[in-house]
Amino acid sequence: MKHTLLLAIAGLALAAAGPWSVAAAAEVKNVVIVHGAFADGSGWRDVSDALTKKGYKVTVVQQPLTSLEDDVSAVKRVLALQDGPTVLVGHSYGGMVITDAGNVENVAGLVYVAAFQPDTGESLVELAQSKPVINMKKGGLLATKDQFFYLDPEAFPELFAADLPKADAEFLARSQVFASRKAFTTEAGTPAWKSKPSWALVATEDRSINPDLEREMAKRAGSTTSEVKASHAVYASQPEDVAALIVTAAEAVSK
């Protein structure tokens, strides 16, 4: 009788805690990565390989960059396929995306890699203009007639990937993914970092986002922050550091 009563009490406690509490207690082995604007997810290969070797299941979302809403939907579609709690990673504009998509129940933690971390009502354009990159080259950001942004291929290496080999940076410039004006001007909703733990990596040599802005956003969000001397393409130039931070996050939310 006593044993039955204890089981009943335990069952009630779990029910009251809800599905999120149960999921958060599980070991986190799923990692979903969201790339930023002007690059696709293929540049995350070295980070993915490093995580896979440590036993993580990694999925890289190839969102369309057509609107913030479309990109959030693309991430949610992938999150729905995960088999348990997940660490959600975003780079650059991808930080805007994971801030919304991270509200999905099975997201256990967020990792921002040289990324925007908006609060409610903030857009990427608003954040970027609040603290521009010091001495940023003028005319680097261009737009097509139908209002899709891209980086001038000549300026791309300096702005995005200054610490990659020249040939690699030039290839990225030629293969960049354009982003819609709508994606950059849409205001963020309720940020997931207000209810879930987050980590942030500041790229101290970033020429696309002011590193001080990265620090300020991370501090406001209460993110556990680390810094790496790297360009905006830190995920490609310093993949081991990026992978290590993701592992730190996954281990922390598994406890």
Side-chain angles (χ1 to χ4, degrees):
M1 179 68 179
K2 184 177 180 181
H3 179 67
T4 303
L5 180 60
L6 288 174
L7 286 176
I9 292 173
L12 287 172
L14 286 173
W20 164 245
S21 296
V22 175
E27 184 179 17
V28 178
K29 283 296 183 181
N30 297 315
V31 175
V32 170
I33 295 169
V34 182
H35 65 76
F38 314 130
D40 67 10
S42 62
W44 285 81
R45 177 63 185 271
D46 288 344
V47 173
S48 178
D49 287 350
L51 293 171
T52 300
K53 288 177 182 177
K54 293 182 179 295
Y56 291 91
K57 174 190 171 186
V58 182
T59 306
V60 181
V61 182
Q62 298 281 35
Q63 72 270 23
L65 301 181
T66 47
S67 72
L68 182 58
E69 181 182 12
D70 289 346
D71 296 334
V72 170
S73 294
V75 174
K76 287 182 177 180
R77 199 171 298 124
V78 171
L79 287 171
L81 299 177
Q82 305 307 301
D83 58 2
T86 302
V87 168
L88 186 58
V89 183
H91 172 252
S92 192
Y93 161 74
M96 301 290 298
V97 181
I98 71 169
T99 294
D100 187 325
N103 288 303
V104 171
E105 185 178 291
N106 66 336
V107 174
L110 307 157
V111 178
Y112 292 87
V113 179
F116 289 99
Q117 292 182 253
D119 202 344
T120 306
E122 294 178 338
S123 69
L124 181 150
V125 168
E126 179 184 353
L127 284 169
Q129 291 179 344
S130 71
K131 191 176 286 290
V133 175
I134 298 173
N135 298 323
M136 186 175 186
K137 180 181 290 187
K138 302 295 182 182
L141 182 63
L142 303 173
T144 62
K145 291 181 179 179
D146 59 347
Q147 296 302 294
F148 273 73
F149 290 118
Y150 66 101
L151 294 178
D152 179 352
E154 294 298 320
F156 190 102
E158 176 187 339
L159 297 177
F160 197 97
D163 55 353
L164 289 181
K166 183 179 179 181
D168 292 348
E170 290 177 344
F171 177 78
L172 287 176
R174 296 192 301 272
S175 63
Q176 63 179 294
V177 184
F178 294 12
S180 73
R181 177 181 291 274
K182 187 177 180 181
F184 282 7
T185 57
T186 299
E187 296 178 352
T190 302
W193 51 256
K194 286 192 174 180
S195 60
K196 299 183 181 183
S198 61
W199 286 257
L201 186 149
V202 175
T204 63
E205 305 298 313
D206 202 327
R207 301 292 298 166
S208 291
I209 304 176
N210 189 324
D212 285 337
L213 177 59
E214 293 176 21
R215 295 182 182 104
E216 290 176 7
M217 292 185 292
K219 182 178 180 180
R220 178 180 65 178
S223 303
T224 301
T225 307
S226 60
E227 300 197 359
V228 175
K229 185 177 181 180
S231 73
H232 194 56
V234 56
Y235 60 92
S237 65
Q238 304 295 336
E240 292 296 334
D241 288 326
V242 174
L245 180 61
I246 296 170
V247 170
T248 295
E251 292 177 344
V253 295
S254 295
K255 295 177 181 178

